[in-house]
Amino acid sequence: MMFLDLANFYLIPGIVMGSIYAIGAIGITLVFSIMRHTNLAHGDMATFGAFSALALFSAIGISPYLVLPLATVIVGFLSIVIDWIFYEHLRNKPKILTTISSLGVGLMLRSVVQIIWGVNTTAYVTGINKPYKILGLKVKSTEIITLGVSAALVIILILFLNRNRWGKAMRAMSNSPDLALISGIDNRKVVALTWFVVGVLCCCAGFFLGINTELKSMMGWNILLPTIAAAILGGIGRIEGALVGGLIIGLIEEMSLMVIPAEYKAASSFVVLLLVLLLRPTGFFRSKII
Amino acid sequence: MTAILTIKDIRGGYTEADILNGISMEVSRGEIVAIVGPNGAGKSTVMKAVFGLLKIRGGSIDFLGTDITGWSPNHIVQAGICYVPQVENIFTEMTVQENLEMGAFLRRGDLSAAYDRIYGLFPDLVSKRQVVSGSLSGGQRQMLAMGRALMLDPKVLLLDEPTAGLSPKYMEQIFQISRNIRDTGVAILLVEQHAKQALAFSDRGYILVAGTNRHHGTGQDLLTDHSVAEMFLGG
Ligand SMILES: Nc1ncnc2c1ncn2[C@@H]1O[C@H](COP(=O)(O)OP(=O)(O)OP(=O)(O)O)[C@@H](O)[C@H]1O
Ligand SMILES: [Mg+2]
């Protein structure tokens, strides 16, 4: 009984939150590997994605999952446009400028969300989502779908990067942008492709955060710290690292509830980040390539 | 012989200061041309100028009758010029096969004939196909770098110090492979640190000093010219 309680109250929610962090951290890692800056707009982009899906769901109906693909495409293109407007002209300047610019972009996105959808908490569907019981484990349908879709995204992304010509071009550019350029790879197209993929990942992270908890304008900003912690923990620049890092952060956060009050949950990822930066700043996987 | 690539009076640099102060040179089909000169003379910079990686403030670069001055690297690659830089010339985190694939990025369709040709030129790489290229030896890396640049069947190949840091055995091997490539009709422009050996094996050579042409002639002429020998080839 002890184990089942542990699983139901801490492990399952931890893995679910962890997979949301993982999807976010993979996006952070992709931006870092190819554009070489930390994308501080990541969380707010996720918020925007979550609310775009809400808007589409209100307009079209049926099921929030059904509108998710459309929302991801919208956020994917939005993130390409944001790059064109705010980051492209900074490409050859010190990367700190792009990082700061991304903080501004995040603030803008958050304001847009607040203007359009307000600051109140909302949800995709109201009412109680009754968990299924499987061998004593209580799992909600939202949780199963979150895990399934996250796993699928990771597998598709890894296959894309290793089998597809453009995916390999992303790895090539991450490895050596100059050599990619003189090999005839159009770096600007690779950058646009990367932003599209990052937009899709952001949107999914926001959507699953929304469907497992609630939607509010600060939701993405609130997960930015654990998401970046996950990316660093996994050794920034590694997809598998970001995945494992996300799961670890999710589990630590939930388990910390055994000893600290819920309001301080976010502090646990801060502590993990601090420890990683102090003890092993390169993360647990060898750094550098996607 | 009519030149395939003509560099005419190029001036330019990385920032405001000019590194190249009016460089001219040309290379023809089936010819190996060596650029030699002291460190910092601007040898690598000439190659970057051809490849559109430099701010060019004067002069022109002509390839097969087309003015390509200021073209972007991927258009230059598409036109038929490929380049092996002095450093960072392989994707160290990718396999040998993937490196070649990236070399052929602009080419669609079946690449098996191109792979066969490259593995034929560089048999050492065959057993390393699936090996991450960062773990290759210096000589193998240089072969892979050349292989990557040859995947698109270029008309002109730019090689920046292909033998740097290699043992004499590997150096001879790289020179021999370069001759084989030349004999298939490719024009090769190469920068060499080993000036004597390079001039001996090249058809023609240019000696660059401080961003200008100092001497040029056939490899043999330069080697036997006393003033050249004294000043640049260590007597
Ligand atoms: N990326 C760069 N930015 C600014 N200046 C550069 C850059 N690369 C080279 N230089 C400068 O340009 C000049 C010519 O350099 P270049 O690399 O062409 O010399 P090189 O003849 O190839 O020398 P080496 O034999 O050492 O390779 C040098 O003074 C060098 O300091
Ligand atoms: Mg050089």
Side-chain angles (χ1 to χ4, degrees):
Chain A
M1 220 51 232
M2 265 300 288
F3 172 74
L4 282 181
D5 284 344
L6 182 74
N8 286 330
F9 291 119
Y10 302 107
L11 295 186
I12 291 174
I15 290 171
V16 171
M17 270 318 285
S19 60
I20 293 169
Y21 292 150
I23 297 299
I26 290 171
I28 292 276
T29 259
L30 282 178
V31 174
F32 193 84
S33 309
I34 292 174
M35 273 73 74
R36 303 270 169 212
H37 68 90
T38 307
N39 182 25
L40 298 178
H42 214 77
D44 295 300
M45 186 100 88
T47 310
F48 188 89
F51 277 92
S52 308
L54 179 69
L56 289 169
F57 176 48
S58 325
I60 301 171
I62 313 173
S63 153
Y65 299 112
L66 217 64
V67 300
L68 178 61
L70 187 53
T72 60
V73 172
I74 291 173
V75 180
F77 281 112
L78 173 73
S79 92
I80 294 178
V81 172
I82 287 176
D83 176 63
W84 284 344
I85 301 175
F86 297 103
Y87 307 144
E88 192 179 32
H89 62 107
L90 299 173
R91 204 85 79 210
N92 298 321
K93 302 253 168 63
K95 293 301 174 194
I96 185 70
L97 297 180
T98 320
T99 304
I100 291 169
S101 178
S102 75
L103 180 64
V105 167
L107 290 168
M108 275 189 279
L109 280 171
R110 200 183 315 163
S111 304
V112 168
V113 167
Q114 289 171 343
I115 290 166
I116 302 179
W117 291 286
V119 293
N120 294 328
T121 301
T122 172
Y124 289 111
V125 278
T126 46
I128 306 250
N129 180 8
K130 268 196 75 169
Y132 300 102
K133 273 209 168 147
I134 307 166
L135 303 170
L137 293 175
K138 289 187 211 151
V139 204
K140 295 183 190 137
S141 61
T142 53
E143 294 173 330
I144 296 172
I145 295 172
T146 303
L147 293 179
V149 174
S150 306
L153 280 174
V154 173
I155 292 168
I156 291 169
L157 184 63
I158 289 177
L159 286 177
F160 176 73
L161 290 171
N162 288 291
R163 302 279 169 82
N164 179 277
R165 181 168 163 267
W166 280 98
K168 289 180 193 176
M170 281 170 67
R171 285 168 54 219
M173 188 170 160
S174 152
N175 191 172
S176 172
D178 293 342
L179 187 59
L181 194 64
I182 60 175
S183 298
I185 297 171
D186 188 338
N187 285 5
R188 294 171 52 182
K189 285 189 188 152
V190 176
V191 167
L193 170 67
T194 307
W195 277 115
F196 185 84
V197 173
V198 168
V200 168
L201 292 170
C202 270
C203 183
C204 290
F207 175 83
F208 286 114
L209 182 64
I211 211 146
N212 284 289
T213 60
E214 55 197 13
L215 284 99
K216 56 179 189 233
S217 60
M218 294 295 287
M219 62 192 282
W221 176 252
N222 291 340
I223 63 160
L224 185 62
L225 175 70
T227 302
I228 291 180
I232 294 176
L233 180 65
I236 199 137
R238 312 252 344 159
I239 302 285
E240 318 86 293
L243 175 66
V244 175
L247 291 172
I248 291 176
I249 296 283
L251 283 169
I252 289 180
E253 268 198 5
E254 294 300 325
M255 311 260 272
S256 73
L257 295 181
M258 290 192 250
V259 287
I260 61 173
E263 298 80 56
Y264 296 109
K265 191 165 90 170
S268 56
S269 50
F270 179 72
V271 170
V272 174
L273 180 59
L274 205 66
L275 288 177
V276 173
L277 289 177
L278 288 174
L279 301 176
R280 200 180 159 85
T282 52
F284 289 103
F285 287 75
R286 192 175 55 99
S287 252
K288 210 169 145 160
I289 178 103
I290 47 173
Chain B
M1 259 197 295
T2 51
I4 182 168
L5 179 73
T6 310
I7 298 167
K8 207 182 286 169
D9 208 22
I10 280 290
R11 280 178 294 106
Y14 298 94
T15 52
E16 295 313 309
D18 278 350
I19 303 283
L20 303 181
N21 306 299
I23 294 271
S24 299
M25 53 183 66
E26 55 180 50
V27 52
S28 302
R29 216 181 124 78
E31 180 182 51
I32 295 178
V33 174
I35 306 176
V36 299
N39 292 113
K43 306 182 297 292
S44 298
T45 307
V46 171
M47 301 212 151
K48 290 180 199 161
V50 172
F51 232 76
L53 299 171
L54 204 68
K55 290 198 184 87
I56 294 179
R57 279 180 281 268
S60 66
I61 297 160
D62 181 287
F63 175 63
L64 287 173
T66 311
D67 186 354
I68 59 163
T69 321
W71 281 23
S72 68
N74 68 318
H75 287 119
I76 290 173
V77 173
Q78 204 136 29
I81 305 179
C82 289
Y83 169 37
V84 180
Q86 183 172 354
V87 289
E88 263 199 61
N89 53 21
I90 57 171
F91 295 108
T92 48
E93 307 262 355
M94 302 178 87
T95 64
V96 166
Q97 179 78 12
E98 285 174 334
N99 266 270
L100 297 184
E101 199 180 333
M102 291 297 103
F105 189 77
L106 288 171
R107 191 155 157 185
R108 305 308 306 270
D110 186 19
L111 294 172
S112 49
Y115 290 127
D116 288 348
R117 191 170 72 92
I118 301 303
Y119 287 119
L121 278 171
F122 305 102
D124 288 28
L125 296 178
V126 175
S127 63
K128 305 281 181 187
R129 261 175 206 253
Q130 301 307 331
V131 170
V132 174
S133 66
S135 67
L136 297 179
S137 74
Q140 292 165 340
R141 281 172 179 237
Q142 204 56 52
M143 291 179 183
L144 178 59
M146 285 174 73
R148 182 201 54 77
L150 286 167
M151 279 299 286
L152 284 179
D153 252 327
K155 297 186 180 71
V156 176
L157 183 63
L158 308 178
L159 299 175
D160 197 345
E161 302 207 12
T163 67
L166 299 190
S167 65
K169 173 182 143 264
Y170 263 132
M171 182 162 95
E172 196 39 59
Q173 206 173 341
I174 294 277
F175 282 168
Q176 186 54 48
I177 292 167
S178 302
R179 281 188 210 105
N180 297 344
I181 295 167
R182 171 195 64 189
D183 294 341
T184 65
V186 177
I188 299 180
L189 185 62
L190 90 170
V191 169
E192 260 302 334
Q193 214 40 259
H194 303 102
K196 278 187 191 169
Q197 291 92 328
L199 290 173
F201 116 98
S202 299
D203 298 300
R204 288 189 304 116
Y206 291 88
I207 295 178
L208 241 62
V209 180
T212 53
N213 289 78
R214 187 59 61 90
H215 296 277
H216 78 267
T218 65
Q220 283 313 317
D221 286 350
L222 289 172
L223 280 174
T224 48
D225 183 322
H226 284 298
S227 62
V228 170
E230 266 172 38
M231 288 198 56
F232 305 110
L233 306 176

